[in-house]
Amino acid sequence: MLLDFYNPPPTLLVSGSKEGVDLGGSKLILSIDDSRSLFSEGSIFTEMSWAEFYQEKGLEDQIHTFTTKKYESVRENPEALTDTIKDSIKNIIKKKQLFYGIIDLEVDAFLNENTVIPGLKVDHKVINNLMEAHTQTRNKEMFPEIIRDVKKRKKIKIEFHGEKNKNLIFHGSKLEDLANQLRVVKGFATGIVCSSSDAANFYIMNDNIIFKENDTPEFYIDKKNIQTIEMGIKRELLFPISWFRIDIGIRALETLQLWDKIKEDNKLKVALAEYEHYVLNLVFKKFEKLASSEKIGVNLVDDFYQMTPQERRQALRDMAQAIRILTKYYKDED
């Protein structure tokens, strides 16, 4: 399923040649709309450099110099990070979208023996194949142009691949359906981004995403995805670009390095309470529709995403807590 990714970070638009290659990384907040398009909301950091290779025989894969192309970061600044999160949340609510998660993209031309994405382990042979494929892509100057301009907004097409890709795409076609799932989901997925002629393909290597607290994720490596990548590389249909990690849902914020320092900030707590209030209103809207439909009384045990009475009680408690925080804030403002 092809999805739109608006305002993609430079780590998905890298280039390279025999002379050099883009290297770097980015971490940003993502939102999602009711058509499941993704949007860059707030940049936590972006570091991009041009790495120039030696031009001497035998040293063609050795980096000679680095030139910084872009550097911006709030990851080590508690106040700036708080403002980035707060502004992103307010913008998401304003646009009637949802907090999708936090994405990490690392572009290292697969020159490292170990992956640079926490939580991802890939066999050294596979990494060597990716490095060789990246070299061939550079030497033949075959980096595809994946950027698209539509209505003056930059976007690319992306697609999630893997045996558990539904953990990143989700179920349903309306915003309240997505809200019901994103409110409780937690965990992350890791993998490799490969570009093709028409999309940036996110091949999921593993994930530990769960939708219920008592679920236990099982570690796995999606070997079929690895085989697909290697076959696509041989046929020159896929071009390895970067590593990725996506921490899903609002609880992705808890993975930030400074989270323990900023989580009690009043501005942040108010923004999160407003978002919780916004999401729960969407969930209740979904629930009201279910209550008024003929589905009441039908056995919905097999519906994974259907809220249980216990989950409904927890939602009401969360709503009350959000209202208390907002009420206290507005009284203090007066």
Side-chain angles (χ1 to χ4, degrees), residues 188-215:
F188 63 85
T190 62
I192 299 166
V193 182
C194 292
S195 183
S196 62
S197 60
D198 60 352
N201 300 275
F202 286 69
Y203 287 92
I204 303 166
M205 295 294 105
N206 60 38
D207 82 273
N208 66 356
I209 295 172
I210 59 174
F211 291 84
K212 291 184 178 180
E213 287 292 341
N214 57 354
D215 285 349

Side-chain angles (χ1 to χ4, degrees), residues 114-127:
N114 299 308
T115 70
V116 291
I117 293 293
L120 176 59
K121 296 180 181 179
V122 180
D123 187 87
H124 286 256
K125 180 182 176 182
V126 175
I127 295 177

Side-chain angles (χ1 to χ4, degrees), residues 247-270:
D247 288 89
I248 207 76
I250 195 70
R251 295 179 68 173
L253 294 172
E254 298 171 11
T255 67
L256 295 174
Q257 184 178 346
L258 293 181
W259 177 249
D260 286 340
K261 290 185 177 180
I262 67 173
K263 64 182 181 181
E264 296 301 325
D265 182 275
N266 285 334
K267 292 185 297 182
L268 182 58
K269 289 174 73 173
V270 168

Side-chain angles (χ1 to χ4, degrees), residues 10 83 126 187 303:
D83 287 340
V126 175
D303 186 352

